[in-house]
Amino acid sequence: MIPLKRRKVSQTVNQPNQTCKFPHVSIFILERKMGSTRRAFLTRLGRSKGFLITDTYSSSITHVVSENNTGDDVQTWIDNQTGQESSSSVHLLGIIWFTESMEAGQPVPVEDRHILKEALELLAENAEYSDNEGRSVAFRRAASVLKALPYRVQTMDQLKCLPCLGEHSQRVIKEILEDGTSSEVESTRHSEQFQAMKALTGIFGVGVKTADRWFREGLRSPSDLICTGQQLNRAQQAGLQFYDDLNKHVTKAEADMISEIVKEAVSAVLPGAEIQLMGGFRRGKEVGHDVDFLITHPEEGREEGLMPKIINWLEGRNLLLYQKWTRNSYLEKLDGPARPANNMDRFERCFSIFKLDRPAEATGSEGVRSSDQSEASSWRAVRVDLVVSPYSQFAFATLGWTGSKLFERELRRWAGQEKRMSLSSHALYDSNQRCYVRVQSEEEIFAYLGLEFIPPCERNA
């Protein structure tokens, strides 16, 4: 590998740490592409809030914070400084983790969006913005393969015979291994279109096509929508109003708080109903972007008309900032094997934004704020999806709403190509037997597909 130029660590930050509140977190702020002045400012800020900020990189570092670098850039810099690979336990993080930790007054949980974008994932994201689903899936598959490897790739020979690594992905990987960075990735990451699409699609209720139209009209950020008086629907208005909150992580503790609220609501309007926390939290993640719930009742048919009752209960307690309810439109005889398996399911559901009270101790923290929301706000906005499933479809719905998206895509591809079965969040149809398969659990679905059961914690593909 061609080494990158080394930079001396600035001595302007060489000041003793003040009282350290979090000795288990040792932070190194990388000066590369940041500059000594900004690094010195961030170091003083962190130390003033009780964080352990070290001046030089060492094996004791737990968190490396960087700005305007990819994960590959930082990893290469570290390897060049130490002469060896860094521990896989070191978190390579973007500046957003640092600023959110300053705001919280303590180290926040590390989630996917804090981690410096890997090259292939960034290209996958950009392909999504270009509405090129095939290319996006190809990059995400390649990235998943690399993540699953028990070693860090150092030569192209290590990639031989591995699946899902197309020519484009291999070309990017080869450039990174040889030069320490990818010109395509760098130009994409810094492009005006990529940054604008990322900001605009971050608005709740805004998809790629709408964001692309706005970009072509000259809009680049949420603030541009306000300045130009853009016409927005109800969802987009709510998304703009609560933009900062909805683009912050949701912690497991917050998800648990919402779970208690949902359980109380459902129990009040339909005793005996079952409620399951879904999505990334069911897969064992500590943070997520929203909170999903799947609701059913053991007596088939008792779940019909449940959602409006739940909504009325929540609205009566001023817990909803926004909600959109859709009815169950699935009919097995019409929506079964003839409909593509990757179509969005058609359960009764409510897309909502909850008004979640903050714990008293969390409302008085000082920090870095990028919005004009009240600094002492006693609540925050959280995206919550409520889904009601008939009991006969509950196992399929559980599998579908657990995710991850890529895992579900691969599982349905396996069902179709290897087993001639059509799998959706509603049903499993066997084309060989020309009949629907009835199951009571996820385990039975895996068995019918000829696979060993894969627990939710192993589905973060």
Side-chain angles (χ1 to χ4, degrees), residues 165 334 378 441:
L165 294 178
L334 298 178
S378 61
S441 67

Side-chain angles (χ1 to χ4, degrees), residues 131-152:
D131 203 20
N132 191 331
E133 184 179 16
R135 174 172 288 191
S136 175
V137 171
F139 282 133
R140 292 204 182 278
R141 282 175 175 163
S144 293
V145 169
L146 296 183
K147 285 182 178 180
L149 296 177
Y151 52 85
R152 178 171 174 249

